[in-house]
Amino acid sequence: MSARVIDGKAFALALRERVAAAVPAFRAATGRVPGLSVVIVGEDAASQVYVRSKGKATEAAGMASVTHRLPADTTQAELLALVAALNADEAVDGILVQLPLPRHIDESAVIAAIDPDKDVDGFHVVNAGRLAAGLPGLVPCTPLGCVMLLEDVLGDLAGLDAVVIGRSNIVGKPMAQLLTARSCTVTLAHSRTRDLPAVCRRADILVAAVGRPEMVKADWVKPGATVIDVGINRIDDGAGGTKLVGDVDFAGLSEVAGAITPVPGGVGPMTIAVLLRNTLVAAHLRAGLAPPAGL
Ligand code: GUN
């Protein structure tokens, strides 16, 4: 069997177009466009690339983008002062502090300082609590993007067995909460899970978010299962260069799964598209408006 390859790039593009299409009505209602402020501290090369992409995508959607680039020796107090200023700025609907931060800065203190209603990453404990309690709030971009892809492929997820590998606050835990809210039976597996292959073989939906290149093998997968690969790992390509691979053995799993996301071009493009969606939603809620349907 050859699995359907889930085109995250095309889905993300369509979501970005829906977000952009909703901006004029927001502008007509409020006299301004939604605004996203991104903060980056230091020179981490991968973070610079991500932040540039986020800024470009925000502008392409017709929203206001401001990037604050701070030197690596910025103090925690200086960063907290910037976050406080962005919290107080009425033109700012979304605040994203790019992670990782330099080691002398306490990431959780910085995230805790962001106004939860502007926390478009969904990392604040208030938003984590809202998600756990089934209350409306801002949801982390990557897992929400995964759920959008799953619903596009499978429709209603109710009753399906889902296994999520990886228990991070950014992907694994919110993913488990989102699938629970859609009435899946969820197992949150991790590095201490016993007989992980047997656990995975129960899954109708298998989500891998562990950061280990090609760890999940074909014989871990129930025939016909839907596989979402959140991993982005750069490895030696055996020909003197490097290549990107996910957390699953794509070639092997393609023979067993019913549908599978590729790397690149699967989950990756969804993260920025959902960030724009979250910024639009935050802007509506802050303005006392109902967010547009279908996002
Ligand atoms: N670093 C890598 N991914 C992310 C993300 O989604 N949000 C933030 N704030 N930092 C990141």
Side-chain angles (χ1 to χ4, degrees), residues 13 18 23 67 73 89 118-119 144 170 177 188 198 204 238 272 278:
L13 205 60
R18 290 200 297 280
V23 169
T67 302
D73 62 356
D89 186 340
K118 297 188 178 188
D119 169 37
L144 183 53
I170 292 176
Q177 303 278 9
L188 183 49
D204 303 304
I272 288 184
N278 280 358

Side-chain angles (χ1 to χ4, degrees), residues 39 47 50 54 95-100 111 121 123 140-142 170 271 275:
V39 181
S47 291
Y50 287 135
K54 287 169 185 175
I95 302 170
L96 183 147
V97 179
Q98 185 68 22
L99 304 178
I111 292 167
D121 262 327
F123 292 170
C141 301
T142 301
I170 292 176
T271 300
L275 173 65

Side-chain angles (χ1 to χ4, degrees), residues 137-159:
L138 292 166
V139 175
C141 301
T142 301
L144 183 53
C146 293
V147 169
M148 288 178 178
L149 293 178
L150 283 168
E151 290 187 322
D152 188 52
V153 173
L154 295 168
D156 185 8
L157 307 183

